[in-house]
mmCIF file of all heavy atoms in Angstrom:
data_model
loop_
_atom_site.group_PDB
_atom_site.id
_atom_site.type_symbol
_atom_site.label_atom_id
_atom_site.label_comp_id
_atom_site.label_asym_id
_atom_site.label_seq_id
_atom_site.Cartn_x
_atom_site.Cartn_y
_atom_site.Cartn_z
ATOM 1 N N ASN T 2 -3.942 20.542 -6.006
ATOM 2 C CA ASN T 2 -4.868 20.365 -4.836
ATOM 3 C C ASN T 2 -4.927 21.629 -4.049
ATOM 4 O O ASN T 2 -6.060 22.133 -3.661
ATOM 5 C CB ASN T 2 -4.377 19.226 -3.913
ATOM 6 C CG ASN T 2 -5.388 18.905 -2.847
ATOM 7 O OD1 ASN T 2 -6.540 18.586 -3.012
ATOM 8 N ND2 ASN T 2 -4.916 19.076 -1.589
ATOM 9 N N MET T 3 -3.825 22.294 -3.778
ATOM 10 C CA MET T 3 -3.841 23.606 -3.053
ATOM 11 C C MET T 3 -4.574 24.675 -3.906
ATOM 12 O O MET T 3 -5.345 25.476 -3.294
ATOM 13 C CB MET T 3 -2.351 24.054 -2.853
ATOM 14 C CG MET T 3 -1.640 23.215 -1.860
ATOM 15 S SD MET T 3 0.060 23.849 -1.572
ATOM 16 C CE MET T 3 0.816 22.504 -0.574
ATOM 17 N N ASN T 4 -4.375 24.717 -5.176
ATOM 18 C CA ASN T 4 -5.099 25.675 -6.048
ATOM 19 C C ASN T 4 -6.602 25.503 -5.893
ATOM 20 O O ASN T 4 -7.322 26.445 -5.821
ATOM 21 C CB ASN T 4 -4.645 25.473 -7.448
ATOM 22 C CG ASN T 4 -5.304 26.549 -8.347
ATOM 23 O OD1 ASN T 4 -4.930 27.718 -8.389
ATOM 24 N ND2 ASN T 4 -6.332 26.056 -9.109
ATOM 25 N N GLU T 5 -7.032 24.229 -5.911
ATOM 26 C CA GLU T 5 -8.454 23.928 -5.916
ATOM 27 C C GLU T 5 -9.075 24.240 -4.556
ATOM 28 O O GLU T 5 -10.207 24.692 -4.383
ATOM 29 C CB GLU T 5 -8.716 22.503 -6.354
ATOM 30 C CG GLU T 5 -8.388 22.203 -7.762
ATOM 31 C CD GLU T 5 -9.150 23.060 -8.742
ATOM 32 O OE1 GLU T 5 -10.290 22.731 -9.144
ATOM 33 O OE2 GLU T 5 -8.593 24.063 -9.114
ATOM 34 N N LEU T 6 -8.295 24.092 -3.458
ATOM 35 C CA LEU T 6 -8.721 24.375 -2.179
ATOM 36 C C LEU T 6 -9.044 25.866 -2.033
ATOM 37 O O LEU T 6 -10.018 26.269 -1.351
ATOM 38 C CB LEU T 6 -7.767 23.916 -1.093
ATOM 39 C CG LEU T 6 -7.663 22.401 -0.823
ATOM 40 C CD1 LEU T 6 -6.624 22.101 0.124
ATOM 41 C CD2 LEU T 6 -9.028 21.918 -0.321
ATOM 42 N N VAL T 7 -8.216 26.736 -2.601
ATOM 43 C CA VAL T 7 -8.397 28.161 -2.557
ATOM 44 C C VAL T 7 -9.499 28.563 -3.539
ATOM 45 O O VAL T 7 -10.351 29.334 -3.163
ATOM 46 C CB VAL T 7 -7.121 28.879 -2.913
ATOM 47 C CG1 VAL T 7 -7.323 30.346 -2.997
ATOM 48 C CG2 VAL T 7 -6.006 28.596 -1.868
ATOM 49 N N ARG T 8 -9.497 27.955 -4.693
ATOM 50 C CA ARG T 8 -10.482 28.323 -5.721
ATOM 51 C C ARG T 8 -11.907 27.911 -5.430
ATOM 52 O O ARG T 8 -12.832 28.624 -5.583
ATOM 53 C CB ARG T 8 -10.066 27.740 -7.091
ATOM 54 C CG ARG T 8 -10.846 28.247 -8.286
ATOM 55 C CD ARG T 8 -10.343 27.670 -9.599
ATOM 56 N NE ARG T 8 -10.611 26.288 -9.769
ATOM 57 C CZ ARG T 8 -11.769 25.812 -10.314
ATOM 58 N NH1 ARG T 8 -12.639 26.660 -10.783
ATOM 59 N NH2 ARG T 8 -11.949 24.511 -10.508
ATOM 60 N N LEU T 9 -12.058 26.693 -4.898
ATOM 61 C CA LEU T 9 -13.358 26.097 -4.647
ATOM 62 C C LEU T 9 -13.661 25.884 -3.199
ATOM 63 O O LEU T 9 -14.842 25.833 -2.906
ATOM 64 C CB LEU T 9 -13.437 24.781 -5.372
ATOM 65 C CG LEU T 9 -13.315 24.733 -6.919
ATOM 66 C CD1 LEU T 9 -13.304 23.342 -7.402
ATOM 67 C CD2 LEU T 9 -14.420 25.622 -7.544
ATOM 68 N N GLY T 10 -12.675 25.678 -2.338
ATOM 69 C CA GLY T 10 -13.028 25.265 -0.925
ATOM 70 C C GLY T 10 -12.899 26.403 0.081
ATOM 71 O O GLY T 10 -13.020 26.174 1.294
ATOM 72 N N GLY T 11 -12.719 27.660 -0.377
ATOM 73 C CA GLY T 11 -12.736 28.731 0.624
ATOM 74 C C GLY T 11 -11.485 28.793 1.500
ATOM 75 O O GLY T 11 -11.538 29.484 2.592
ATOM 76 N N LEU T 12 -10.434 28.167 1.142
ATOM 77 C CA LEU T 12 -9.229 28.107 1.995
ATOM 78 C C LEU T 12 -8.479 29.437 1.836
ATOM 79 O O LEU T 12 -8.158 29.786 0.641
ATOM 80 C CB LEU T 12 -8.366 26.969 1.681
ATOM 81 C CG LEU T 12 -7.049 26.861 2.531
ATOM 82 C CD1 LEU T 12 -7.453 26.455 3.949
ATOM 83 C CD2 LEU T 12 -6.071 25.845 1.922
ATOM 84 N N PRO T 13 -8.139 30.188 2.886
ATOM 85 C CA PRO T 13 -7.419 31.409 2.650
ATOM 86 C C PRO T 13 -6.036 31.090 2.173
ATOM 87 O O PRO T 13 -5.427 30.119 2.642
ATOM 88 C CB PRO T 13 -7.329 32.018 4.057
ATOM 89 C CG PRO T 13 -8.465 31.382 4.836
ATOM 90 C CD PRO T 13 -8.674 30.032 4.210
ATOM 91 N N GLN T 14 -5.522 31.867 1.219
ATOM 92 C CA GLN T 14 -4.123 31.685 0.770
ATOM 93 C C GLN T 14 -3.150 31.770 1.879
ATOM 94 O O GLN T 14 -2.117 31.063 1.804
ATOM 95 C CB GLN T 14 -3.791 32.691 -0.374
ATOM 96 C CG GLN T 14 -4.595 32.458 -1.610
ATOM 97 C CD GLN T 14 -4.204 33.471 -2.752
ATOM 98 O OE1 GLN T 14 -2.999 33.594 -2.980
ATOM 99 N NE2 GLN T 14 -5.135 34.086 -3.362
ATOM 100 N N SER T 15 -3.433 32.542 2.915
ATOM 101 C CA SER T 15 -2.515 32.748 3.989
ATOM 102 C C SER T 15 -2.346 31.465 4.798
ATOM 103 O O SER T 15 -1.401 31.287 5.588
ATOM 104 C CB SER T 15 -2.991 33.839 4.828
ATOM 105 O OG SER T 15 -4.287 33.609 5.286
ATOM 106 N N LYS T 16 -3.229 30.435 4.597
ATOM 107 C CA LYS T 16 -3.080 29.119 5.318
ATOM 108 C C LYS T 16 -2.264 28.095 4.540
ATOM 109 O O LYS T 16 -2.027 26.997 5.098
ATOM 110 C CB LYS T 16 -4.491 28.618 5.611
ATOM 111 C CG LYS T 16 -5.420 29.510 6.412
ATOM 112 C CD LYS T 16 -4.779 29.883 7.761
ATOM 113 C CE LYS T 16 -5.716 30.789 8.519
ATOM 114 N NZ LYS T 16 -5.054 31.277 9.861
ATOM 115 N N LEU T 17 -1.899 28.421 3.340
ATOM 116 C CA LEU T 17 -0.949 27.528 2.590
ATOM 117 C C LEU T 17 0.490 27.734 3.101
ATOM 118 O O LEU T 17 0.803 28.698 3.657
ATOM 119 C CB LEU T 17 -1.061 27.958 1.133
ATOM 120 C CG LEU T 17 -2.342 27.681 0.325
ATOM 121 C CD1 LEU T 17 -2.265 28.120 -1.072
ATOM 122 C CD2 LEU T 17 -2.780 26.193 0.452
ATOM 123 N N PRO T 18 1.261 26.747 2.935
ATOM 124 C CA PRO T 18 2.701 26.931 3.246
ATOM 125 C C PRO T 18 3.313 28.062 2.546
ATOM 126 O O PRO T 18 2.882 28.432 1.402
ATOM 127 C CB PRO T 18 3.403 25.584 2.782
ATOM 128 C CG PRO T 18 2.242 24.644 2.714
ATOM 129 C CD PRO T 18 1.060 25.421 2.344
#
Side-chain angles (χ1 to χ4, degrees):
N2 188 58
M3 292 182 189
N4 181 78
E5 294 303 273
L6 285 176
V7 173
R8 188 175 73 90
L9 299 174
L12 181 71
Q14 292 185 46
S15 55
K16 300 303 178 184
L17 295 176

